Amino acid sequence: MDEPATTDELVDVWQRANAARGQPATPERVARVRAKLMDAAACVVWLREAGDVVSMALAEPWCEDDGAGVQRPGWGHVSMVFVRPELWGRGVGGRTMAELHRQAADRRCQDLTLWTRRSNDRALALYASAGWARSGRTSTLPDGSAILQLGRSINGATARQG
């Protein structure tokens, strides 16, 4: 993360990864991602290889009631983790998560949560290898996809259920 990344570079990684998963971006989603990336409260990390941004992740303050309630100090919610598809399976995601964990700890974050699709085996393997565990909470996206909540304490222990 030595060289700053532009919002355009980060959005490009996000768009490439989503397109490879068959989820092309709508203008509304691109606008939401840009807004999250520019939020001063967000913890945004990225990795470069050969000068190009190859991954990005974002954690934001965790709020009760699945984001509708008050912020809980010391907690963060990871809402984005993306790697350029041509680098999937090469350890880039693990290095990106390690950097996110480090920077979240620097911000005094103790616990992190995230949601991912139950069908996203690649993401589930990445999160398990990075010390994340299922919280037991599940939900369904508007398109009917089942999602799972995972948690992780920054000190390496499994996060309390949030």
Side-chain angles (χ1 to χ4, degrees), residues 31-160:
R32 274 189 29 221
V33 167
R34 285 184 177 283
K36 284 181 177 240
L37 290 167
M38 294 187 294
D39 184 345
C43 177
V44 182
V45 301
W46 60 89
L47 296 181
R48 286 187 182 275
E49 289 186 0
D52 295 323
V53 174
V54 297
S55 67
M56 58 83 70
L58 179 144
E60 54 197 326
W62 187 91
C63 296
E64 294 178 7
D65 301 323
D66 291 324
V70 297
Q71 288 184 12
R72 183 182 292 180
W75 281 65
H77 177 72
V78 177
S79 60
M80 290 189 257
V81 179
F82 294 97
V83 175
R84 287 175 55 164
E86 65 270 23
L87 298 174
W88 288 353
R90 297 187 185 173
V92 175
R95 292 194 314 272
T96 305
M97 292 301 290
E99 181 63 17
L100 182 65
H101 297 158
R102 187 187 69 73
Q103 288 203 25
D106 288 350
R107 292 174 176 229
R108 295 198 167 99
C109 183
Q110 299 164 1
D111 294 287
L112 294 168
T113 64
L114 63 80
W115 289 91
T116 193
R117 292 174 191 264
R118 180 186 306 268
S119 62
N120 193 341
D121 292 334
R122 182 178 302 280
L124 289 168
L126 167 65
Y127 300 139
S129 71
W132 290 73
R134 295 178 186 197
S135 72
R137 291 191 66 207
T138 62
S139 191
T140 306
L141 294 173
D143 69 3
S145 300
I147 56 174
L148 308 170
Q149 185 189 56
L150 287 79
R152 185 185 191 282
S153 286
I154 294 299
N155 68 10
T158 302
R160 300 178 301 267

